[in-house]
Amino acid sequence: MFARWDKMAKQFSRIGKEIAIAVKTGGPDPGTNPALRRCFQNAKSVNMPKDRVEAAIKRAMGKEMANFEEILYEGYAPHGVAVLVETATDNPTRTVANIRAHFSKGNGSLGTSGSVSFQFKKMGVFKLKPEGLNQDDLELELIDHGLDEMGEGTGENNEPVLVLRTAFSDFGNMQKALESKNIIPITAELEWIPTTTVELPENQAQEVLKLVDKMEQDEDVQKVFHNLL
């Protein structure tokens, strides 16, 4: 139960920062701020209370609110696994020191900008409830709006979901297309998808996942991506 609460707190914190960044960039009106609409969808998917969402918006509009800077760190976990770490921080000096320490303690290494990201594609990833959707028809309709691929996957609670992927540049087009069809995604995220993957034996894979878990627990870390199969 405590682990579940920790995970929920981390999710609320991550989305709270995303809301702050969205409001600072595009204003507090979700009608004119698609990034904020995306935050609302993702908040709903993790059952973030409405009052927490509203409080995050009010804090973002306040003068005392910290300005979060989004920084991507690149490096290698043990056994040559590529790792990308998305952060949102009000203190980059603290954050880079912590990220470097996580890599070092996990027998990995922090790399320079561009040393790892070439092994990934940044893509928009939308997860939909499959009920009531004709997948074949939907796929044909969404190709013109930037659909790259569609497939079946699992959600937060292992429930079946429909996964759509678009190029990073088509994220907004897909968001508008789904809205026009009154389809509300469970989540709408920008993710780094590996173009090549690494397969490891169980004991080595656990070393990598232990490092990833440590990274994800860091308060400045938003998301961690890797190319471990």
Short mmCIF file of all heavy atoms in Angstrom, two decimals, residues 167-200:
data_model
loop_
_atom_site.label_atom_id
_atom_site.label_comp_id
_atom_site.label_asym_id
_atom_site.label_seq_id
_atom_site.Cartn_x
_atom_site.Cartn_y
_atom_site.Cartn_z
N ALA A 167 4.39 11.01 -35.12
CA ALA A 167 5.64 11.75 -35.05
C ALA A 167 5.46 12.91 -34.08
O ALA A 167 4.35 13.40 -33.87
CB ALA A 167 6.03 12.27 -36.43
N PHE A 168 6.54 13.35 -33.46
CA PHE A 168 6.50 14.46 -32.51
C PHE A 168 5.81 15.68 -33.12
O PHE A 168 4.98 16.33 -32.49
CB PHE A 168 7.93 14.80 -32.09
CG PHE A 168 8.06 16.07 -31.29
CD1 PHE A 168 7.51 16.16 -30.02
CD2 PHE A 168 8.74 17.17 -31.80
CE1 PHE A 168 7.63 17.32 -29.27
CE2 PHE A 168 8.86 18.33 -31.06
CZ PHE A 168 8.31 18.41 -29.80
N SER A 169 6.12 15.96 -34.39
CA SER A 169 5.57 17.14 -35.06
C SER A 169 4.07 17.04 -35.31
O SER A 169 3.40 18.05 -35.57
CB SER A 169 6.30 17.38 -36.39
OG SER A 169 6.20 16.23 -37.22
N ASP A 170 3.52 15.81 -35.27
CA ASP A 170 2.09 15.61 -35.53
C ASP A 170 1.26 15.46 -34.26
O ASP A 170 0.05 15.17 -34.33
CB ASP A 170 1.88 14.36 -36.40
CG ASP A 170 2.24 14.61 -37.86
OD1 ASP A 170 1.92 15.71 -38.36
OD2 ASP A 170 2.84 13.71 -38.48
N PHE A 171 1.88 15.66 -33.11
CA PHE A 171 1.17 15.46 -31.84
C PHE A 171 -0.09 16.33 -31.78
O PHE A 171 -1.19 15.85 -31.46
CB PHE A 171 2.09 15.78 -30.66
CG PHE A 171 1.46 15.51 -29.31
CD1 PHE A 171 1.58 14.26 -28.73
CD2 PHE A 171 0.75 16.49 -28.64
CE1 PHE A 171 0.99 13.99 -27.49
CE2 PHE A 171 0.16 16.24 -27.42
CZ PHE A 171 0.29 14.99 -26.84
N GLY A 172 0.06 17.63 -32.09
CA GLY A 172 -1.08 18.54 -32.03
C GLY A 172 -2.17 18.18 -33.02
O GLY A 172 -3.37 18.29 -32.72
N ASN A 173 -1.76 17.74 -34.23
CA ASN A 173 -2.75 17.33 -35.24
C ASN A 173 -3.58 16.16 -34.75
O ASN A 173 -4.81 16.14 -34.94
CB ASN A 173 -2.04 16.94 -36.55
CG ASN A 173 -1.35 18.11 -37.21
OD1 ASN A 173 -1.74 19.25 -37.00
ND2 ASN A 173 -0.33 17.83 -37.99
N MET A 174 -2.93 15.19 -34.14
CA MET A 174 -3.65 14.02 -33.63
C MET A 174 -4.57 14.40 -32.48
O MET A 174 -5.71 13.92 -32.38
CB MET A 174 -2.66 12.94 -33.19
CG MET A 174 -3.32 11.66 -32.69
SD MET A 174 -4.38 10.87 -33.93
CE MET A 174 -3.16 10.41 -35.17
N GLN A 175 -4.09 15.27 -31.61
CA GLN A 175 -4.91 15.71 -30.48
C GLN A 175 -6.19 16.38 -30.99
O GLN A 175 -7.29 16.10 -30.51
CB GLN A 175 -4.10 16.68 -29.61
CG GLN A 175 -4.77 17.01 -28.28
CD GLN A 175 -3.87 17.82 -27.37
OE1 GLN A 175 -2.86 18.36 -27.78
NE2 GLN A 175 -4.22 17.90 -26.10
N LYS A 176 -6.05 17.25 -31.98
CA LYS A 176 -7.22 17.94 -32.56
C LYS A 176 -8.16 16.94 -33.24
O LYS A 176 -9.39 17.04 -33.13
CB LYS A 176 -6.76 18.99 -33.58
CG LYS A 176 -6.13 20.21 -32.97
CD LYS A 176 -5.67 21.17 -34.07
CE LYS A 176 -4.93 22.35 -33.48
NZ LYS A 176 -4.36 23.23 -34.55
N ALA A 177 -7.59 15.97 -33.97
CA ALA A 177 -8.41 14.99 -34.68
C ALA A 177 -9.24 14.15 -33.71
O ALA A 177 -10.43 13.91 -33.94
CB ALA A 177 -7.52 14.08 -35.53
N LEU A 178 -8.64 13.73 -32.61
CA LEU A 178 -9.37 12.95 -31.61
C LEU A 178 -10.46 13.80 -30.95
O LEU A 178 -11.58 13.33 -30.71
CB LEU A 178 -8.40 12.39 -30.56
CG LEU A 178 -7.42 11.32 -31.07
CD1 LEU A 178 -6.41 10.97 -29.99
CD2 LEU A 178 -8.15 10.07 -31.55
N GLU A 179 -10.12 15.05 -30.65
CA GLU A 179 -11.11 15.94 -30.04
C GLU A 179 -12.30 16.15 -30.97
O GLU A 179 -13.45 16.19 -30.53
CB GLU A 179 -10.47 17.29 -29.69
CG GLU A 179 -9.52 17.23 -28.49
CD GLU A 179 -8.80 18.54 -28.25
OE1 GLU A 179 -8.99 19.50 -29.04
OE2 GLU A 179 -8.05 18.62 -27.26
N SER A 180 -12.03 16.27 -32.28
CA SER A 180 -13.12 16.49 -33.24
C SER A 180 -14.04 15.28 -33.33
O SER A 180 -15.21 15.40 -33.72
CB SER A 180 -12.54 16.81 -34.63
OG SER A 180 -11.94 15.67 -35.21
N LYS A 181 -13.53 14.11 -32.98
CA LYS A 181 -14.33 12.89 -32.99
C LYS A 181 -14.90 12.58 -31.60
O LYS A 181 -15.47 11.50 -31.39
CB LYS A 181 -13.47 11.71 -33.47
CG LYS A 181 -12.97 11.85 -34.89
CD LYS A 181 -12.08 10.67 -35.28
CE LYS A 181 -11.54 10.84 -36.69
NZ LYS A 181 -12.63 10.87 -37.69
N ASN A 182 -14.71 13.51 -30.68
CA ASN A 182 -15.17 13.33 -29.29
C ASN A 182 -14.57 12.08 -28.64
O ASN A 182 -15.23 11.40 -27.84
CB ASN A 182 -16.70 13.27 -29.23
CG ASN A 182 -17.35 14.59 -29.61
OD1 ASN A 182 -16.89 15.65 -29.19
ND2 ASN A 182 -18.38 14.52 -30.43
N ILE A 183 -13.33 11.77 -29.02
CA ILE A 183 -12.60 10.67 -28.40
C ILE A 183 -11.64 11.27 -27.38
O ILE A 183 -10.75 12.06 -27.75
CB ILE A 183 -11.82 9.85 -29.44
CG1 ILE A 183 -12.78 9.21 -30.44
CG2 ILE A 183 -10.97 8.78 -28.75
CD1 ILE A 183 -12.08 8.50 -31.60
N ILE A 184 -11.83 10.96 -26.12
CA ILE A 184 -10.97 11.49 -25.06
C ILE A 184 -9.93 10.41 -24.69
O ILE A 184 -10.30 9.35 -24.18
CB ILE A 184 -11.79 11.86 -23.81
CG1 ILE A 184 -12.84 12.92 -24.17
CG2 ILE A 184 -10.88 12.37 -22.71
CD1 ILE A 184 -13.78 13.25 -23.05
N PRO A 185 -8.65 10.65 -24.97
CA PRO A 185 -7.63 9.65 -24.64
C PRO A 185 -7.54 9.41 -23.13
O PRO A 185 -7.83 10.31 -22.33
CB PRO A 185 -6.33 10.29 -25.15
CG PRO A 185 -6.76 11.34 -26.12
CD PRO A 185 -8.08 11.84 -25.62
N ILE A 186 -7.15 8.21 -22.77
CA ILE A 186 -6.85 7.93 -21.37
C ILE A 186 -5.62 8.73 -20.98
O ILE A 186 -5.57 9.38 -19.95
CB ILE A 186 -6.59 6.42 -21.15
CG1 ILE A 186 -7.79 5.60 -21.60
CG2 ILE A 186 -6.28 6.14 -19.68
CD1 ILE A 186 -7.49 4.11 -21.68
N THR A 187 -4.59 8.67 -21.84
CA THR A 187 -3.39 9.48 -21.67
C THR A 187 -2.92 9.96 -23.03
O THR A 187 -3.19 9.33 -24.06
CB THR A 187 -2.23 8.70 -21.00
OG1 THR A 187 -1.91 7.57 -21.81
CG2 THR A 187 -2.59 8.24 -19.61
N ALA A 188 -2.22 11.07 -23.02
CA ALA A 188 -1.60 11.61 -24.23
C ALA A 188 -0.22 12.11 -23.82
O ALA A 188 -0.12 13.09 -23.08
CB ALA A 188 -2.44 12.74 -24.81
N GLU A 189 0.82 11.41 -24.25
CA GLU A 189 2.16 11.70 -23.78
C GLU A 189 3.13 11.85 -24.95
O GLU A 189 2.90 11.33 -26.04
CB GLU A 189 2.67 10.56 -22.88
CG GLU A 189 1.81 10.25 -21.68
CD GLU A 189 2.15 11.10 -20.47
OE1 GLU A 189 2.90 12.10 -20.63
OE2 GLU A 189 1.67 10.77 -19.37
N LEU A 190 4.22 12.56 -24.68
CA LEU A 190 5.36 12.57 -25.60
C LEU A 190 6.40 11.62 -25.02
O LEU A 190 6.81 11.77 -23.87
CB LEU A 190 5.92 13.99 -25.73
CG LEU A 190 5.00 14.99 -26.45
CD1 LEU A 190 5.52 16.40 -26.29
CD2 LEU A 190 4.89 14.63 -27.93
N GLU A 191 6.78 10.62 -25.79
CA GLU A 191 7.70 9.60 -25.29
C GLU A 191 8.87 9.40 -26.25
O GLU A 191 8.74 9.65 -27.46
CB GLU A 191 6.96 8.26 -25.10
CG GLU A 191 5.82 8.32 -24.10
CD GLU A 191 5.16 6.96 -23.87
OE1 GLU A 191 5.67 5.96 -24.43
OE2 GLU A 191 4.15 6.91 -23.16
N TRP A 192 9.97 8.94 -25.70
CA TRP A 192 11.13 8.58 -26.51
C TRP A 192 11.08 7.08 -26.78
O TRP A 192 11.19 6.27 -25.86
CB TRP A 192 12.43 8.95 -25.79
CG TRP A 192 12.66 10.43 -25.67
CD1 TRP A 192 12.28 11.25 -24.65
CD2 TRP A 192 13.33 11.26 -26.63
NE1 TRP A 192 12.68 12.54 -24.90
CE2 TRP A 192 13.32 12.59 -26.10
CE3 TRP A 192 13.95 11.02 -27.86
CZ2 TRP A 192 13.90 13.66 -26.79
CZ3 TRP A 192 14.52 12.10 -28.53
CH2 TRP A 192 14.50 13.39 -28.00
N ILE A 193 10.87 6.72 -28.03
CA ILE A 193 10.73 5.31 -28.42
C ILE A 193 12.05 4.83 -29.01
O ILE A 193 12.57 5.42 -29.96
CB ILE A 193 9.61 5.14 -29.46
CG1 ILE A 193 8.30 5.80 -28.98
CG2 ILE A 193 9.39 3.67 -29.78
CD1 ILE A 193 7.72 5.23 -27.72
N PRO A 194 12.64 3.74 -28.46
CA PRO A 194 13.93 3.28 -28.98
C PRO A 194 13.82 2.72 -30.40
O PRO A 194 12.86 2.01 -30.72
CB PRO A 194 14.35 2.19 -27.99
CG PRO A 194 13.07 1.72 -27.36
CD PRO A 194 12.16 2.92 -27.33
N THR A 195 14.79 3.05 -31.23
CA THR A 195 14.83 2.51 -32.60
C THR A 195 15.62 1.20 -32.64
O THR A 195 15.47 0.40 -33.56
CB THR A 195 15.47 3.51 -33.56
OG1 THR A 195 16.75 3.92 -33.05
CG2 THR A 195 14.58 4.75 -33.69
N THR A 196 16.49 0.99 -31.65
CA THR A 196 17.19 -0.29 -31.48
C THR A 196 17.07 -0.69 -30.02
O THR A 196 17.03 0.17 -29.14
CB THR A 196 18.68 -0.17 -31.85
OG1 THR A 196 19.30 0.84 -31.02
CG2 THR A 196 18.86 0.20 -33.31
N THR A 197 17.00 -1.99 -29.76
CA THR A 197 16.83 -2.45 -28.39
C THR A 197 17.96 -3.41 -28.00
O THR A 197 18.65 -3.97 -28.85
CB THR A 197 15.48 -3.18 -28.21
OG1 THR A 197 15.37 -4.22 -29.18
CG2 THR A 197 14.33 -2.20 -28.38
N VAL A 198 18.13 -3.55 -26.69
CA VAL A 198 19.15 -4.43 -26.12
C VAL A 198 18.44 -5.50 -25.29
O VAL A 198 17.60 -5.17 -24.45
CB VAL A 198 20.13 -3.64 -25.22
CG1 VAL A 198 21.13 -4.58 -24.55
CG2 VAL A 198 20.86 -2.57 -26.03
N GLU A 199 18.78 -6.75 -25.53
CA GLU A 199 18.22 -7.85 -24.75
C GLU A 199 19.29 -8.40 -23.83
O GLU A 199 20.42 -8.65 -24.26
CB GLU A 199 17.69 -8.94 -25.68
CG GLU A 199 16.87 -10.00 -24.95
CD GLU A 199 16.12 -10.92 -25.90
OE1 GLU A 199 16.29 -10.79 -27.14
OE2 GLU A 199 15.37 -11.78 -25.41
N LEU A 200 18.94 -8.57 -22.54
CA LEU A 200 19.90 -9.01 -21.54
C LEU A 200 19.35 -10.20 -20.75
O LEU A 200 18.13 -10.35 -20.63
CB LEU A 200 20.20 -7.88 -20.55
CG LEU A 200 20.89 -6.62 -21.08
CD1 LEU A 200 20.97 -5.57 -19.98
CD2 LEU A 200 22.29 -6.93 -21.60
#
